[in-house]
Amino acid sequence: MKLYHDYIFDLYGTLVDIRTNEEQRVLWNKLSLLYGYYGADYLPQVLHESYLSLVYAKEKLKQYSKQERYSHEAYPEIPIEEVFTELYTSKGVQPSDELILHTGQMFRVMSTLHIRLYAGAKELLQQLRANGSRVFLLSNAQRIFTEYELKYLQIYDCFDGILISSDYGVKKPDERFFKLLLQKYSIDPKEALMIGNDLSSDIAGAKNVGIDTFYIHSAISPKTTADKTSADYSMNHMNLKRLQKLLLYKSKER
């Protein structure tokens, strides 16, 4: 491996193991109860259908396949707060920002089956920075969820910069998202390494802007026909402690 000055990480499936299920009946039962508390009455099934219709409309898609997204991303290219807001306003309720935050976080908590760091994740980030490298997060995600999850997992302060797709209306593998990060933090793509668990989103996207790549196959890596040899480096299973040894061994040679 060559030496790198900047390390760019994906989040879900790379540093964080998460499972969500937004189709659970109990989620929509509880969420409809919350909406009802504030004067926006929905039957659970109607609330679910209305939520999906708003998402589809905002993405300007007439049809949407579940296979085209990963549940942990929660429609990352649109600000999901807009959807929760419109579900209130369509019933004549003007929600406060605090209520939207509360609603969105209840939705996330109720749909999350588990969330935890992969072993060695925090130590990897800390050691890279301690060895003089910069560490960035480039995530297809919702800030209303992800910012709080980063703080809950105690890695929010482990990055030199964080870009979340819902803030920019664009997501990986779109090269515009990568270029936003490069420009904002004056990153030389030749001196950067993208580390992620998605061959299309992380690896192909980074390669398109001249960034070297390290693919890690995790339990929630999406199925794809892409060849993992398209990455400059790869690991067949999740092992961040091994990754730390690889990267830090090289950094000590600087």
Side-chain angles (χ1 to χ4, degrees):
M1 290 181 64
K2 62 173 285 189
L3 304 179
Y4 296 93
H5 183 264
D6 297 313
Y7 293 88
I8 305 167
F9 284 87
D10 170 55
L11 183 62
Y12 301 114
T14 300
L15 296 171
V16 173
D17 182 19
I18 187 170
R19 297 292 190 285
T20 63
N21 183 351
E22 296 171 9
E23 306 301 318
Q24 301 175 85
R25 182 177 299 178
V26 65
L27 164 63
W28 297 102
N29 287 343
K30 297 297 185 182
L31 200 64
S32 68
L33 184 60
L34 177 65
Y35 270 86
Y37 282 170
Y38 292 93
D41 293 323
Y42 286 96
L43 293 174
Q45 183 62 29
V46 173
L47 179 60
H48 190 181
E49 292 172 355
S50 299
Y51 168 85
L52 292 175
S53 294
L54 284 169
V55 168
Y56 299 164
K58 289 181 179 298
E59 293 194 339
K60 299 179 180 179
L61 295 175
K62 294 182 179 180
Q63 294 182 343
Y64 197 89
S65 168
K66 292 179 185 177
Q67 284 72 39
E68 293 181 80
R69 73 176 177 93
Y70 318 127
S71 60
H72 61 269
E73 287 189 356
Y75 305 98
E77 68 277 16
I78 64 172
I80 205 69
E81 298 96 312
E82 294 180 1
V83 174
F84 295 125
T85 298
E86 289 187 36
L87 289 170
Y88 280 108
T89 58
S90 66
K91 294 289 186 175
V93 176
Q94 298 299 321
S96 64
D97 291 343
E98 182 180 10
L99 177 56
I100 294 303
L101 177 63
H102 177 57
T103 302
Q105 292 183 338
M106 178 180 175
F107 173 89
R108 183 64 163 184
V109 169
M110 289 290 296
S111 63
T112 298
L113 305 180
H114 75 247
I115 182 170
R116 53 184 172 244
L117 289 174
Y118 287 114
K122 185 173 184 178
E123 294 77 10
L124 169 61
L125 301 174
Q126 290 175 328
Q127 286 303 310
L128 286 172
R129 297 180 79 193
N131 278 270
S133 297
R134 294 191 300 174
V135 176
F136 299 97
L137 180 67
L138 191 68
S139 180
N140 287 351
Q142 291 291 330
R143 179 167 292 277
I144 192 176
F145 305 150
T146 300
E147 179 177 344
Y148 293 88
E149 289 169 350
L150 290 170
K151 292 176 180 178
Y152 167 73
L153 295 167
Q154 299 181 15
I155 59 170
Y156 184 82
D157 295 326
C158 290
F159 299 96
D160 294 283
I162 297 172
L163 263 65
I164 297 174
S165 61
S166 67
D167 292 339
Y168 300 94
V170 64
K171 64 177 180 176
K172 297 174 293 183
D174 194 316
E175 66 180 43
R176 290 175 297 172
F177 196 29
F178 287 90
K179 288 180 177 179
L180 281 168
L181 179 71
L182 298 179
Q183 294 167 2
K184 183 172 183 178
Y185 295 101
S186 300
I187 299 171
D188 181 350
K190 295 179 181 179
E191 296 296 326
L193 180 69
M194 175 76 208
I195 302 168
N197 75 310
D198 187 323
L199 285 167
S200 298
S201 177
D202 301 318
I203 305 308
K207 297 293 284 184
N208 285 339
V209 295
I211 300 173
D212 282 356
T213 56
F214 197 123
Y215 171 71
I216 303 179
H217 184 80
S218 68
I220 57 175
S221 288
K223 295 180 180 179
T224 177
T225 58
D227 186 349
K228 68 182 179 183
T229 61
S230 62
D232 295 283
Y233 316 100
S234 65
M235 191 178 292
N236 292 329
H237 60 280
M238 175 55 63
N239 189 335
L240 295 183
K241 292 182 178 180
R242 180 184 171 211
L243 178 62
Q244 178 177 328
K245 290 180 180 179
L246 289 172
L247 300 180
L248 292 179
Y249 173 77
K250 292 298 182 181
S251 67
K252 289 177 181 179
E253 296 179 351
R254 291 179 181 177

